[in-house]
Amino acid sequence: MDIISTTFIFILTVSIIVTFHEFGHYIAARLCGVKVLEFSVGFGKRLFGKRFGKDKTDYKVSALPLGGYVRMLDEREGNVIDVEKERAFNNQSLLKRTFIVFAGPLFNFILAIFFYFLIFSGGYTGFKPEVGVISSGSIAQEIGFEEGDRINSVNLNEVRTWSEVTLQIMKVASEKNDIYFEVKRNGKFINLKKISYELINFENKNILENIGIYNFVSKSLEVGYVEDNSPAFEGGISVGDKFLSINGVGVNNWFEIVNIIKKSPNKELKISVLRNDNKEILYARPSIYNGESGKIGRLGVRPFIDQNEVSKNKIQIKHSFYESLKLSVVKTYDFTILTINFISKLVMGEASFKNISGPVGIAGYAADSFNNGYTSFLGLLAMLSISIGILNLLPIPMLDGGHLMYYLVEFIIRRPVPESIQLIFQQLGMTFLIFLSFFALYNDILRIL
């Protein structure tokens, strides 16, 4: 997807989430009788809009579409005539101010529930959690997994797709609980040995592959794609070739092929393939690629994916209205807990800050999910909305959580926090947010490079 389309989808994504967040503040303010002066989608110069309602609120779209805001009547921002002082935000009770500030993040969680509800009620596709390949000597093999097993539940939570399996593993491990699998094998349900939560590597992009479980795609031995000018291309490997052995070692699945290639950066490989029923010997030297665990080899090939296998492993899931509503709340809760636990791990130094994505990373995820269909895009919107809600509840000055922290102190000491102290903390909060933004952008640049 080109940069213009990616940018448009990123703006759309941010606008939906932030606008609904600000809508929460707006609704709460109106319910509490506070006068709303402006409701802006975006920052900066006003592009267009309309003033209407008894308060002549300015509903507008501004030039910088990376956020938005609600501006309320407030004596701290200018003179307020006597007749309207009771409608100023700063003159509201502590309970009302708390409700208005908290409503923004609250609406982010409501939005996530709504998006998940659309997914569950409208129906979505996934892949059956049937094990294709188990890597030799892996954690999965040690606890008793076998090829062909169908994962039925994770810690008694039923799972129907691979994505549900991954989410449950991450949720359970993030809560520092061991993981228990129940699998269906030859028509019987079997409980496997537990996996210690300490063995789950959150730094790995694929939790299941990290413990040695691969889906049906890895059963392939046939080449489905060869990258132009890659080592495979230069070595004469073609689409349709079937791997038989590498350096005299027989290969049984794509996982074994990838494993040998990764361990052979800049080393010539003798590759035996079957082409048009004839055995041929080819030579290729994997290029050096800087992976997450150091320098690894890369050949530039992908496996052939049999569409019959895809159809056989695909599952269509659709729920009733009430079941969808229940699952939407549960899924929002699960991802909220997972996000909170991840933030805790960052603070405690148990997780890497390299996992934080900035605008470039989010734009890429948004574009990919948009291309993968509406359920994928709605799922990303739900997760981002939850993340924004949690981020805004952190006790950081300049964010909603910072204001809620002031209100908690006010409740305890029975008087507002002095503005001079608030100003100092706001400057610290602004510095932290700027640093975090640059750090996230730095991570994005590293991923590109």
Side-chain angles (χ1 to χ4, degrees):
M1 179 173 284
D2 59 53
I3 190 170
I4 295 177
S5 298
T6 300
T7 302
F8 172 77
I9 294 171
F10 173 65
I11 292 173
L12 176 65
T13 300
V14 172
S15 297
I16 290 172
I17 295 171
V18 174
T19 299
F20 204 76
H21 174 96
E22 296 303 327
F23 186 64
H25 292 310
Y26 169 82
I27 289 294
R30 294 294 299 268
L31 289 174
C32 292
V34 175
K35 183 176 182 178
V36 178
L37 304 177
E38 296 178 1
F39 184 101
S40 177
V41 177
F43 295 104
K45 184 179 179 182
R46 183 180 193 271
L47 296 180
F48 61 88
K50 186 176 181 179
R51 299 177 188 270
F52 60 90
K54 67 175 184 178
D55 292 331
K56 298 299 180 184
T57 303
D58 186 14
Y59 301 91
K60 63 181 181 179
V61 174
S62 299
L64 187 60
L66 298 177
Y69 62 90
V70 171
R71 190 164 75 90
M72 296 170 241
L73 189 67
D74 196 314
E75 290 182 306
R76 294 168 298 181
E77 297 183 3
N79 294 325
V80 177
I81 59 177
D82 291 341
V83 72
E84 290 193 325
K85 284 187 176 182
E86 64 177 16
R87 300 190 65 199
F89 175 80
N90 64 292
N91 290 328
Q92 304 305 306
S93 66
L94 179 60
L95 181 60
K96 286 185 176 181
R97 281 180 281 135
T98 300
F99 173 60
I100 293 170
V101 172
F102 180 72
L106 175 63
F107 267 53
N108 280 126
F109 296 110
I110 293 173
L111 184 62
I113 291 172
F114 173 69
F115 285 142
Y116 281 135
F117 175 80
L118 291 180
I119 294 173
F120 289 128
S121 61
Y124 61 98
T125 58
F127 288 104
K128 301 174 186 177
E130 291 185 356
V131 177
V133 174
I134 298 293
S135 60
S136 178
S138 65
I139 298 170
Q141 187 180 61
E142 290 177 4
I143 68 169
F145 266 110
E146 294 183 6
E147 294 181 7
D149 284 350
R150 168 78 175 266
I151 302 175
N152 184 64
S153 68
V154 178
N155 288 45
L156 302 180
N157 294 303
E158 183 183 4
V159 289
R160 297 189 182 187
T161 64
W162 280 118
S163 60
E164 291 178 6
V165 174
T166 301
L167 177 62
Q168 286 300 323
I169 292 173
M170 294 178 67
K171 177 177 175 290
V172 173
S174 70
E175 295 171 344
K176 297 188 175 180
N177 293 319
D178 294 336
I179 299 99
Y180 298 85
F181 291 97
E182 180 189 63
V183 301
K184 188 175 183 180
R185 181 185 302 163
N186 299 323
K188 297 180 180 180
F189 291 99
I190 301 172
N191 291 311
L192 306 182
K193 299 175 185 178
K194 69 178 181 180
I195 296 179
S196 171
Y197 69 87
E198 296 176 336
L199 297 177
I200 302 301
N201 181 10
F202 286 88
E203 308 298 319
N204 195 296
K205 292 181 179 179
N206 194 314
I207 297 294
L208 290 166
E209 290 184 5
N210 181 54
I211 63 176
I213 298 176
Y214 295 80
N215 63 17
F216 68 94
V217 174
S218 286
K219 292 192 293 184
S220 176
L221 287 169
E222 185 176 338
V223 177
Y225 171 81
V226 178
E227 184 180 311
D228 288 341
N229 302 316
S230 64
F233 180 86
E234 298 295 337
I237 296 175
S238 302
V239 171
D241 287 350
K242 184 178 180 181
F243 279 87
L244 298 176
S245 66
I246 302 178
N247 288 347
V249 178
V251 290
N252 301 301
N253 52 63
W254 198 263
F255 163 74
E256 294 179 357
I257 296 170
V258 171
N259 203 33
I260 295 174
I261 294 171
K262 282 184 175 181
K263 293 179 180 179
S264 308
N266 202 33
K267 297 179 181 178
E268 187 175 70
L269 299 177
K270 179 183 178 182
I271 302 172
S272 174
V273 301
L274 188 67
R275 180 184 296 171
N276 299 324
D277 296 326
N278 295 316
K279 183 178 176 181
E280 296 197 19
I281 302 298
L282 304 171
Y283 294 87
R285 187 183 298 271
S287 58
I288 300 174
Y289 178 76
N290 292 317
E292 295 179 356
S293 57
K295 296 184 183 301
I296 60 175
R298 184 177 182 275
L299 205 57
V301 292
R302 289 202 295 264
F304 169 74
I305 302 176
D306 189 342
Q307 291 305 309
N308 290 327
E309 284 290 310
V310 172
S311 299
K312 189 174 74 173
N313 282 273
K314 189 176 289 187
I315 183 173
Q316 180 74 27
I317 303 173
K318 187 175 182 178
H319 299 279
S320 66
F321 177 89
Y322 293 107
E323 187 69 13
S324 297
L325 187 59
K326 174 187 172 183
L327 289 172
S328 301
V329 174
V330 170
K331 182 111 180 201
T332 300
Y333 172 80
D334 284 346
F335 194 77
T336 298
I337 296 300
L338 181 62
T339 305
I340 292 173
N341 289 334
F342 174 71
I343 293 174
S344 298
K345 286 181 177 292
L346 284 177
V347 174
M348 299 298 292
E350 298 175 2
S352 173
F353 279 88
K354 292 180 180 179
N355 292 306
I356 298 175
S357 291
V360 178
I362 293 173
Y365 298 142
D368 290 342
S369 64
F370 189 86
N371 287 332
N372 289 333
Y374 84 96
T375 55
S376 178
F377 187 56
L378 289 178
L380 178 70
L381 287 175
M383 290 188 290
L384 288 176
S385 190
I386 292 170
S387 300
I388 293 295
I390 294 173
L391 178 64
N392 271 277
L393 286 175
L394 295 178
I396 300 173
M398 299 297 294
L399 298 179
D400 294 330
H403 293 291
L404 293 174
M405 179 179 63
Y406 294 146
Y407 298 156
L408 177 61
V409 173
E410 181 179 341
F411 175 77
I412 294 172
I413 67 176
R414 301 297 177 182
R415 64 178 183 275
V417 176
E419 290 192 13
S420 58
I421 295 179
Q422 289 190 37
L423 181 60
I424 294 174
F425 278 104
Q426 284 176 352
Q427 291 172 340
L428 292 174
M430 178 64 77
T431 302
F432 173 78
L433 291 176
I434 292 174
F435 170 78
L436 185 64
S437 298
F438 276 110
F439 187 81
L441 185 59
Y442 173 73
N443 281 346
D444 287 343
I445 294 172
L446 286 183
R447 290 188 186 99
I448 294 173
L449 298 178

